[in-house]
């Protein structure tokens, strides 16, 4: 007789080792991370100088591996007995993270002369890789444990990166981020423990429950952690301060990658749970509607009064969170696709906005928008690009930002016409009118750049490389306006 | 070439704009000539278009079917798979009927006048002329688009160049005026967008749906009988959701059979929101969006600010055609797609027209700045357009289109006239001038013609437009019962006030003994019209008189389409309202 469990255990071990092949990008990422540390110890400065190029190569390699991870036709794959779920949507998010990291590091080549110090430290690249690893886990998370693991990996890396401005403001931002983050993390863990207690499983897809007030509370507490990561109001309090204190390229990355990660988790969460129970779906939808409504309102109205360009964009990104949430909360395939599309477009426009602000702010030495007066005449090309990006953020043609909003609101209208839920109508009308409000502050910087005279002694110039970099950043926004089906067909592929 | 004539008219300026962008910024003179060349070619092409448009008699048959349009260009632009929702198809779909062909001609004329008026723009000419050409690409686009999405894109694209043109080259309060213009119009276009999203999710393209549903192998084999079969299948719910091809095609949107049964804007299902039919609310959304552009009192407050601050050429374009885009949108989109809403709210729309006529006129009477006076006279004249549209009689709508054309010519003239004065003295206060006629005789006579034409003196174009509008408004009570008779009577008062402010201004500024106020800061050099100004004004004078004497020049082209339009709206509207 002996130990009957052993064959079962070997089976498990076998399946675990078989699952490793699906984690090629993650394993490679870990290897790169360790190699970077090792080479730094061996070669010191020589290595650090070349590190940006090396990192770009690593990221492009990982990006392409992620892309080819699905040669086509493979069904979603559950890994490690429900710990991770590798599906096409997760792959889409992974590609987004790497693209974001690529743009973040590529910017170091075109940033103004006194470029940010963090670009020449090895720690930055190592922590960034760690964060990417966490994001990968987050994108594939299909259970409470993996979700928490992913969120914490991302958060801890983010707390550290936030201090990489190496000044007082940046350190303050890092501490604030950490304090808020730790509290929310605790709340979320508390909610997760309730969920586990009531359902007896860690896997989203295996959870069964009877609706009741207790399970609702558990859900909302758990979602709080996600809402914090995507900076949705009222869990947004950290973001303006952090965004203001942290160097702009990092903020750009923060406003995209961890946010997209949070949304990736939310998609898996809603996918697995909302379909099971109509009452739950309705209350989740209501909860997210309120959050979206509050985010859009607080984001846009607070942005109106900001003079610090980064703070303004921080509030703008809170509003955008609301718009993406609209796509998610209708709990339909069309809506999720629209949200994914929105995130894809948002990557380019938000990076464009933050990096342009950084470029101008570093050139004139201040983040105050009033210091940007008259720069449009000095660097006309960047001025025009700025206008295009701001128009995209507002959601107007001729940019892909228009389709992003168009699809999201189409999905919302469809859900309204099916359910006649009046909160959807409220969200529809209110959300669209918010674009008018947002125009007011989005146009502020172009307005100052073109309509005002430059202050004495301020001169900005941009090199050919900078111009090309920003042109490449804005090109997808224009191309996707003319041919939106390119990205949307990819969305269809994701959901096949 | 004729098969792509419309595309040529629309995108030619864009090519010229790109040319300007590629040239080095120092060649100021060259930019002017490029813009002039672009505008001239545009006029030439639209004249060709206007002349080769075959005016159709009224058929009063199938209303607004696609066959009514000429110079049609139609290719698939965007085809999206929306999954469970079906497909979304956006066409690059252009075409003109009598109404839009006349607006296209008007827009190219006004753009040409504007290009000549831009001659003395000195600051940053490269930016100015590329934006100006961009603007002159979007306006004909609006008039020619038959796909609502395309229309909306052109409509939105107008805002950006306009914002920068006012904001960078305008007067002292240009920043305020430009952002006000932008926000107001964007506010309006959000209403349009709301209706647009609701519409496309309710309407299908029967031809493409037939192909998707596997009823026919290709689109070429689909004829009218087949379409009605498809529509019947749709009505019976026999086409599955995934095969539906949603469309923005305006002619399809006008056909009640293309609405998905049970969808929110389907007339048969009478969906209700806040106690009103959803279709009526959608109509109001479209109407509101275009009414801001037009502008209709009380949504007009951006207009005087924008006009006063805009440089002369931009004022010319703004008054000459941008306002017409609003009216055209009401006609083509709001009325064409929601005839029931149009009939339901006809009384209120007529009332808004009357209010605009009187309010604009009385305000104009009180203005001290001549440009502001003209801006308010625009409000008043566009009120006539609205009243004519609301009457839904053949005379009324014909009068509206005529009034639009005539106002395009006359307001361009009036704004060029104020520009002439402003160039010389940098002040437009009416009270500062006396007896200008003795110093500037040619100028004074042109002003006299423009003023008399604008106040509606017989023999000039303004008279014909207003007369027909009033006739239509008066007969509406007997023809379709939409407007009460007192509206026409009250609107006639507007003519009287119009005569008052124009004549009073003429008398104060031009007649009597010559004197200038000491308040004029720049020492004025009051020379008479120079050649450039004559070139701008004389053709406009000729056109105002020609149209006044031979209104058939325009009526021949528009009347067929107009009677189709009114017939269609009344017939379909009654059908829906039953």
């Amino acid at each position: 007789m002996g130990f009957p469990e052993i064959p079962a255990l070997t089976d498990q071990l076998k399946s675990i080792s078989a699952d490793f092949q699906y984690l090629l990008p993650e394993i490679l990422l870990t290897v790169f991370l360790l190699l970077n540390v090792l080479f730094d110890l061996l070669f010191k400065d020589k290595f650090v100088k070349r590190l940006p190029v090396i990192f770009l190569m690593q990221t492009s390699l990982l990006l392409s591996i992620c892309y080819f991870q699905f040669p086509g036709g493979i069904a979603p794959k559950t890994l490690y007995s429900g710990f991770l779920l590798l599906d096409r949507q997760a792959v889409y998010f992974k590609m987004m993270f790497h693209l974001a990291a690529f743009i973040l590091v590529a910017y170091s080549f075109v940033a103004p002369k006194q470029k940010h110090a963090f670009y020449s430290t090895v720690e930055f690249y190592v922590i960034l890789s760690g964060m990417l690893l966490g994001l990968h886990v987050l994108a594939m998370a299909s259970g409470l444990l993996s979700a928490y693991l992913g969120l914490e990996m991302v958060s801890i890396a983010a707390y550290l990166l936030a201090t990489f401005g190496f000044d007082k403001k940046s350190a303050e931002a890092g501490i604030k981020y950490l304090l808020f983050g730790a509290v929310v993390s605790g709340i979320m863990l508390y909610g997760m423990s309730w969920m586990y207690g009531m359902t007896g499983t860690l896997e989203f897809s295996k959870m069964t429950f009877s609706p009741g007030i207790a399970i609702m509370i558990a859900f909302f507490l758990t979602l709080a952690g996600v809402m914090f990561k995507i900076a949705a109001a009222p869990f947004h309090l950290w973001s303006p301060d952090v965004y203001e204190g942290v160097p702009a390229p990092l903020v750009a990355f923060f406003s995209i990658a961890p946010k997209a990660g949070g949304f990736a988790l939310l998609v898996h969460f809603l996918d697995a749970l909302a379909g099971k129970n109509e009452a739950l779906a309705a209350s989740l939808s209501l909860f997210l509607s309120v959050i979206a409504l509050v985010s859009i309102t607080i984001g846009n109205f607070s942005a109106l009064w900001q003079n610090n360009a980064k703070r303004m964009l921080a509030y703008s990104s809170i509003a955008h969170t609301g718009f993406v949430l609209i796509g998610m909360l209708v709990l339909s395939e069309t809506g999720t696709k629209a949200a994914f599309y929105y995130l894809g477009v948002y990557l380019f426009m938000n990076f464009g906005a933050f990096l342009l602000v950084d470029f101008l702010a570093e050139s004139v030495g201040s983040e105050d928008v009033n210091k940007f007066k008259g720069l449009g005449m000095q660097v006309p090309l960047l001025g025009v690009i700025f206008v295009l990006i701001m128009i995209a953020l507002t959601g107007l043609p001729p940019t892909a930002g228009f389709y992003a909003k168009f699809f999201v609101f189409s999905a919302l209208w469809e859900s309204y016409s099916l359910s006649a839920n009046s909160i959807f109508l409220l969200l529809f009308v209110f959300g669209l009118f918010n674009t008018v409000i947002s125009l007011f502050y989005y146009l502020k910087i172009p307005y100052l750049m073109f309509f005002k005279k430059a202050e004495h002694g301020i001169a900005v110039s941009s090199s050919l490389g900078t111009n090309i970099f920003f042109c490449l950043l804005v090109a997808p926004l224009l191309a996707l306006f003319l041919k939106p089906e390119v990205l949307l067909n990819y969305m269809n592929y994701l959901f096949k | 070439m004729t098969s792509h004539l419309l595309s040529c008219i629309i995108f030619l300026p864009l090519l010229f704009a790109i040319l300007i962008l590629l040239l080095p910024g120092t060649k100021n003179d060259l930019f002017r000539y490029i813009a002039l060349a672009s505008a001239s070619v545009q006029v030439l092409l639209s004249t060709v278009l206007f002349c080769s448009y075959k005016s159709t008699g009224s058929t009063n048959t199938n209303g607004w079917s696609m066959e009514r349009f000429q110079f049609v260009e139609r290719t698939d632009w965007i085809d999206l798979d929306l999954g469970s929702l079906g497909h979304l198809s956006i066409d690059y779909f252009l075409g003109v009927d009598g109404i839009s062909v006349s607006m296209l001609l008007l827009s190219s004329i006004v753009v040409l006048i504007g290009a000549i008026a831009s001659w003395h723009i000195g600051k940053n000419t490269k930016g100015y002329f590329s934006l100006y050409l961009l603007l002159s690409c979007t306006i004909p686009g609006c008039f020619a688009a038959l796909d609502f999405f395309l229309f909306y894109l052109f409509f939105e694209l107008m805002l950006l160049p306009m914002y920068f043109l006012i904001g960078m080259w305008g007067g002292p309060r240009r920043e305020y005026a430009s952002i006000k213009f932008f926000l107001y119009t964007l506010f309006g276009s959000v209403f349009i967008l709301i209706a647009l999203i609701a519409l496309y999710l309710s309407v299908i393209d029967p031809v493409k749906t037939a192909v998707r549903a596997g009823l026919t192998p290709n689109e070429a084999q689909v004829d009218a009988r087949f379409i009605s079969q498809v529509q019947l299948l749709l009505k019976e719910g026999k086409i599955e959701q995934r095969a539906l091809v949603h469309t923005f095609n305006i002619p399809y949107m006008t056909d009640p059979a293309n609405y998905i049964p049970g969808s929110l804007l389907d007339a048969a299902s009478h969906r209700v929101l806040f106690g009103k039919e959803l279709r009526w609310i959608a109509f109001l959304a479209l109407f509101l969006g275009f009414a801001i552009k037009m502008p209709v009192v009380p949504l007009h407050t951006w207009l005087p600010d924008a006009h006063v601050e805009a440089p002369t050429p931009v004022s010319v374009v703004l008054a000459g055609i941008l306002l017409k885009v609003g009216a055209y949108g009401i006609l083509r989109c709001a009325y064409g797609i929601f005839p029931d809403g149009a009939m339901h709210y006809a009384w209120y729309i007529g009332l808004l027209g009357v209010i605009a006529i009187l309010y604009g006129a009385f305000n104009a009477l009180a203005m001290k700045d001549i440009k502001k006076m003209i801006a308010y006279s625009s409000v008043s004249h566009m009120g006539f357009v609205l009243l004519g549209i609301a009457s839904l009689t053949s005379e009324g709508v014909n009068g509206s289109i005529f009034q639009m054309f005539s106002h395009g010519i006359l307001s361009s003239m009036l704004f060029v006239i104020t520009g002439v004065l402003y160039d010389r003295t940098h002040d437009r206060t009416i009270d500062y001038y006396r007896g200008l006629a003795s110093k500037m005789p040619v100028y004074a006579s042109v002003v006299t013609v423009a003023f008399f034409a604008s106040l509606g003196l017989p023999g000039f174009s303004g008279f014909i437009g207003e007369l027909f509008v009033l006739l239509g408004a008066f007969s509406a009570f007997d023809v379709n019962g939409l407007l009460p008779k007192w509206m026409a009577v009250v609107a006639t008062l507007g003519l009287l006030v119009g005569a008052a402010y124009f004549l009073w201004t003429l008398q104060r500024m031009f007649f009597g003994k010559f004197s200038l106020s000491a308040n004029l800061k720049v020492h004025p050099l009051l020379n008479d019209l120079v050649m450039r100004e004559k070139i701008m004004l004389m053709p406009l004078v000729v056109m105002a008189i020609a149209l006044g004497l031979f209104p058939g020049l325009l009526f021949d082209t528009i009347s067929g389409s107009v009677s189709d339009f009114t017939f269609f709206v009344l017939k379909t509207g009654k059908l829906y309202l039953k």
Side-chain angles (χ1 to χ4, degrees):
Chain A
M1 291 296 284
F3 307 95
E5 299 93 324
I6 283 179
L9 195 61
T10 9
D11 280 353
Q12 263 184 7
L13 281 173
K14 261 186 197 160
S15 87
I16 285 174
S17 54
D19 284 347
F20 268 115
Q21 56 171 314
Y22 295 102
L23 290 188
L24 182 63
E26 289 73 25
I27 294 167
L28 216 54
L29 191 56
T30 319
V31 170
F32 285 150
L33 190 157
L34 295 173
L35 279 183
N36 287 348
V37 176
L38 193 69
F39 278 119
D40 176 54
L41 291 175
L42 292 177
F43 303 110
K44 294 273 169 198
D45 291 349
K46 257 188 194 169
F47 176 69
V48 174
K49 240 187 252 165
R50 303 209 172 87
L51 193 50
V53 182
I54 296 170
F55 186 85
L56 285 184
M57 280 154 62
Q58 292 171 348
T59 315
S60 345
L61 180 69
L62 287 167
L63 185 67
S64 37
I65 289 179
C66 287
Y67 182 78
F68 290 112
Q69 212 172 9
F70 274 105
I74 296 182
K77 179 90 184 145
T78 312
L79 304 174
Y80 305 108
S81 42
F83 183 68
L84 296 175
L85 176 73
L86 179 62
D87 55 7
R88 288 175 180 168
Q89 300 163 25
V91 171
Y92 175 68
F93 279 105
K94 286 188 206 171
M95 282 159 50
M96 270 184 67
F97 303 145
H98 285 288
L99 192 58
F102 187 91
I103 297 174
L104 169 63
V105 175
Y107 177 68
S108 71
F109 294 99
V110 299
K113 284 231 166 54
Q114 60 278 26
K115 71 172 181 188
H116 301 288
F118 64 80
Y119 277 125
S120 38
T121 61
V122 73
E123 290 82 358
F124 164 66
Y125 298 93
V126 171
I127 297 174
L128 186 60
S129 298
M131 189 160 171
L132 285 172
L133 193 60
L135 285 166
H136 274 234
V137 175
L138 202 54
M140 292 190 292
S142 66
L144 294 173
L145 197 59
S146 44
Y148 188 72
L149 182 72
L151 273 175
E152 283 309 287
M153 279 174 82
V154 173
S155 300
I156 291 169
Y159 305 148
L160 289 172
L161 280 184
T163 62
F164 268 52
F166 306 123
D167 55 9
K168 206 177 149 200
K169 252 181 138 179
S170 185
E172 187 191 318
I175 287 292
K176 271 184 190 161
Y177 199 6
L178 172 66
L179 289 177
F180 277 112
V183 171
V184 175
S185 183
I187 293 174
M188 182 177 64
L189 203 54
Y190 185 58
M192 284 178 165
S193 68
W194 276 41
M195 273 177 83
Y196 181 58
M198 275 180 279
T199 61
T201 174
L202 290 171
E203 258 180 270
F204 295 150
S205 57
K206 285 196 183 137
M207 286 179 180
T208 49
F209 43 81
S210 49
I213 187 79
I215 193 83
M216 293 296 170
I217 292 174
F219 271 121
F220 298 148
L221 291 178
T222 311
L223 279 178
V226 181
M227 294 302 129
F228 174 79
K229 268 274 113 13
I230 62 177
F235 305 95
H236 68 288
L237 295 167
W238 59 278
S239 86
D241 288 342
V242 171
Y243 282 20
E244 192 183 344
V246 175
L250 284 175
V251 175
F253 187 74
F254 282 179
S255 71
I256 291 157
K259 191 174 274 194
F263 278 115
L265 176 60
L266 192 63
V267 172
H268 274 171
F269 187 77
L270 292 177
D271 251 11
L273 290 171
K276 282 184 183 163
N277 190 316
E278 265 182 35
L280 178 72
S283 50
L284 276 179
S285 195
L286 182 69
F287 172 70
L288 292 178
S289 299
V290 173
I291 298 241
L293 206 58
V294 175
S295 300
I296 293 172
T297 315
I298 289 189
N300 277 333
F301 279 92
S302 310
L304 285 176
W305 316 112
Q306 306 304 326
N307 276 325
N308 181 301
K310 270 156 67 187
R311 226 179 148 81
M312 187 176 94
L313 287 176
Y315 281 111
S316 124
S317 88
I318 293 170
H320 283 283
T321 296
F323 286 117
V324 182
L325 267 180
I326 290 179
M328 302 260 171
L329 66 88
V330 295
L331 302 175
S332 72
E333 194 188 300
T334 332
T336 318
K337 266 187 215 168
F340 278 33
Y341 191 95
Y342 202 112
L343 281 171
V345 172
Y346 177 74
L347 176 113
F348 290 103
M349 51 193 194
N350 220 33
F351 249 120
F354 271 111
L355 294 184
L356 264 174
V357 162
D358 183 65
F359 184 84
L360 296 179
E362 291 290 311
S363 301
V364 302
S366 164
E367 286 164 4
D368 188 338
V369 286
N370 291 311
K371 287 282 184 295
F372 295 170
K373 276 180 191 164
L375 296 186
M377 290 300 160
Q378 299 180 7
V379 277
L381 183 68
L382 292 188
V384 170
I385 291 176
F386 215 137
V387 173
L388 284 173
I389 286 173
M390 287 314 193
I391 288 297
L393 285 168
T394 318
L396 293 179
T399 62
F402 172 66
Y403 288 112
K405 290 227 164 71
F406 183 78
F407 291 142
V408 163
F409 283 104
S410 291
L412 187 62
W413 179 265
E414 183 211 3
S415 292
Y416 169 67
S417 70
L418 292 177
S419 68
N421 189 343
S422 53
I423 190 138
F424 288 167
L425 187 71
L426 181 70
L427 208 51
F428 185 80
V429 173
F430 200 77
L432 278 176
F433 279 106
N434 256 279
T435 58
V436 183
I437 295 160
S438 69
L439 179 80
F440 199 77
Y441 66 84
Y442 282 132
L443 273 184
K444 201 165 174 178
I445 296 178
Y447 159 83
L448 290 167
M449 283 175 78
F450 281 104
F451 292 5
K452 296 279 184 187
K453 287 224 161 56
E455 275 175 29
H456 191 65
I458 286 182
V460 176
S461 61
S462 64
S463 64
L464 182 66
T466 315
N467 288 346
I468 293 174
F469 177 80
F470 283 110
C471 281
L472 286 178
L473 215 47
V474 81
L477 294 178
L478 296 177
L480 283 176
F481 171 73
L482 291 173
K483 286 271 156 207
E485 60 263 47
V486 178
L487 190 55
L488 207 80
N489 285 344
Y490 187 69
M491 298 295 131
N492 289 332
Y493 165 76
L494 292 182
F495 286 84
K496 221 167 235 169
Chain B
M1 166 119 172
T2 48
S3 59
H4 292 291
L5 192 55
L6 287 174
S7 293
C8 289
I9 293 176
I10 296 169
F11 291 108
L12 204 85
L14 204 58
L15 289 181
F16 281 95
I18 292 168
L19 181 68
I20 288 182
L21 286 176
L22 292 177
L23 289 169
T26 46
K27 306 211 179 261
N28 287 347
D29 283 337
L30 198 56
F31 298 143
R32 294 186 186 112
Y33 285 107
I34 290 175
L36 183 66
S38 158
S40 313
V41 178
Q42 231 184 352
V43 167
L44 196 72
L45 291 178
S46 1
T47 315
V48 171
L49 182 82
F50 190 80
C51 294
S52 43
Y53 174 83
K54 292 179 201 64
S55 45
T56 47
S58 65
T59 50
N60 283 0
T61 49
N62 216 355
W64 245 19
S65 65
M66 281 220 254
E67 290 75 40
R68 302 293 312 166
F69 297 97
Q70 298 176 22
F71 297 95
V72 170
E73 291 174 42
R74 191 170 175 210
T75 38
D76 292 343
W77 176 26
I78 295 167
D79 180 53
L80 295 174
D81 183 359
L82 297 179
S84 59
L85 261 183
H87 282 257
L88 159 64
S89 113
I90 301 172
D91 290 345
Y92 176 73
F93 182 20
L94 305 175
V96 287
D97 62 357
I99 300 170
S100 38
V101 83
S102 56
M103 288 298 115
L104 270 170
L105 180 67
L106 173 70
S107 71
S108 60
I109 292 171
V110 174
V111 164
L112 178 62
I113 302 295
I116 304 174
S118 311
W119 216 251
H120 59 274
I121 294 282
K123 198 177 76 176
N124 190 7
T125 44
K126 184 174 175 174
Y128 177 87
F129 283 105
S130 37
L131 284 170
Y132 186 80
L133 288 183
L134 184 62
L135 184 67
S136 68
C137 148
T138 57
I139 299 162
C142 259
F143 289 127
L146 285 179
D147 188 280
F148 206 160
F149 193 84
L150 196 63
F151 176 91
Y152 184 77
L153 292 186
F154 281 123
F155 189 79
E156 288 278 89
L157 276 178
M158 244 182 253
L159 302 183
L160 214 54
M162 207 62 195
Y163 170 70
F164 282 103
L165 283 174
I166 298 176
M168 290 179 74
W169 288 273
R173 283 168 71 245
R174 57 181 188 266
E175 290 141 11
Y176 168 76
S178 58
I179 192 75
K180 191 170 176 182
F181 162 79
F182 204 156
L183 287 177
Y184 258 72
T185 325
L186 187 69
F187 182 70
S189 49
V190 166
F191 281 104
I192 301 174
L193 185 62
I194 289 175
L196 187 68
I197 291 177
L199 263 171
Y200 95 87
L201 287 169
S202 302
V203 181
I204 62 146
D205 180 332
V207 180
K208 285 182 182 158
T209 302
V211 178
R212 283 275 171 213
L215 301 171
T216 173
N218 65 51
E219 291 176 22
Q221 291 180 358
V222 178
D223 57 1
R225 242 188 72 217
F226 195 85
I227 287 180
S228 48
Q229 278 174 10
V230 175
Q231 289 167 342
L232 197 68
L233 285 178
L234 177 74
K235 204 174 172 188
E236 291 164 350
K238 282 186 184 152
I239 302 178
E240 64 166 332
Q241 188 90 29
R242 276 181 179 277
L244 296 177
V245 179
H246 295 272
T247 184
F248 288 95
N249 186 316
I250 293 176
Y252 283 144
M253 283 179 172
T254 60
D255 187 350
N258 286 330
Y259 285 78
I260 301 167
S263 61
L264 288 181
L265 293 183
D266 178 31
S269 48
H270 292 287
R271 297 285 284 256
V272 171
L273 182 71
F274 309 132
K276 294 265 178 241
E277 279 215 31
L278 209 54
R279 278 182 66 87
W280 298 351
I281 295 174
F283 169 80
L284 284 184
L286 283 184
F287 179 79
L288 200 65
F290 292 121
I292 289 175
K293 192 90 176 176
M294 195 165 155
V296 174
V297 177
L299 307 165
H300 66 287
T301 55
W302 62 271
L303 184 79
D305 284 313
H307 267 316
V308 169
E309 301 308 326
T312 306
V314 177
S315 284
V316 168
V317 173
L318 185 63
I321 23 182
L322 285 204
L323 308 187
K324 276 76 194 174
V325 174
Y328 176 81
I330 289 180
L331 211 68
R332 175 76 76 217
C333 303
Y335 270 59
I337 298 171
F338 298 108
D340 43 342
M343 287 179 70
H344 184 76
Y345 291 111
W347 193 87
Y348 297 96
I349 294 169
L351 183 69
L352 282 176
V354 174
I355 291 174
I357 292 170
L358 292 180
Y359 181 87
F362 278 113
N363 263 291
L365 198 59
M367 286 302 132
K368 294 192 170 69
D369 180 331
I370 186 167
K371 211 171 178 184
K372 238 178 176 160
M373 179 202 97
I374 293 169
Y376 275 108
S377 87
S378 283
V379 173
S380 175
H381 285 150
M382 292 310 282
F384 279 102
V385 175
L386 195 62
L387 182 64
I389 294 176
S391 79
L392 275 178
T393 54
S394 196
E395 303 95 307
V397 180
N398 265 313
S400 285
I401 314 278
F402 200 94
Q403 170 80 348
M404 282 203 257
F405 200 97
S406 143
H407 178 251
I409 303 284
L410 295 175
S411 63
S412 306
M413 207 146 104
L414 293 171
F415 281 111
V416 170
I417 283 169
T418 51
V420 166
L421 194 63
Y422 187 73
D423 285 348
R424 285 162 175 71
T425 64
H426 293 274
D427 202 296
R428 293 180 301 244
T429 313
I430 297 173
D431 284 342
Y432 289 0
Y433 303 91
R434 286 281 180 278
L436 284 174
S438 59
K439 278 273 181 182
M440 309 165 76
V442 184
Y443 178 59
S445 46
V446 172
V447 172
T448 312
V449 171
F451 278 16
F452 275 109
S454 298
L455 65 83
L457 195 74
F460 294 106
S461 59
F463 170 72
I464 308 284
E466 284 164 17
L467 177 73
F468 272 76
V469 165
L470 291 174
L471 281 178
F474 203 74
S475 66
F477 184 75
D478 300 318
V479 176
N480 50 34
L482 290 177
L483 296 183
K485 284 192 170 160
W486 64 261
M487 278 190 187
V489 177
V490 176
T492 320
L493 261 177
L495 285 179
L496 204 66
V497 185
Y501 63 76
F502 276 121
L503 290 177
W504 193 32
T505 309
L506 194 66
Q507 180 224 322
R508 279 186 293 173
M509 289 181 78
F510 289 90
F511 300 149
K513 196 164 165 279
F514 173 75
S515 72
L516 293 177
S517 160
N519 289 337
L520 288 174
K521 287 180 202 99
V522 187
H523 181 67
L525 182 72
L526 282 175
N527 52 331
D528 211 340
L529 296 182
V530 296
M531 192 43 106
R532 184 177 62 86
E533 290 155 351
K534 283 181 190 161
I535 291 174
M536 284 190 281
L537 288 168
M538 290 312 164
L540 294 174
V541 170
V542 172
M543 268 187 278
I545 296 174
L547 282 175
L549 295 178
F550 310 105
L553 289 176
L554 198 59
F555 277 141
D556 286 349
T557 309
I558 60 177
S559 59
S561 302
V562 166
S563 47
D564 277 348
F565 169 78
T566 50
F567 180 80
F568 162 79
V569 171
L570 289 173
K571 189 183 109 184
T572 322
K574 274 179 198 147
L575 192 79
Y576 280 140
L577 286 175
K578 236 177 234 171

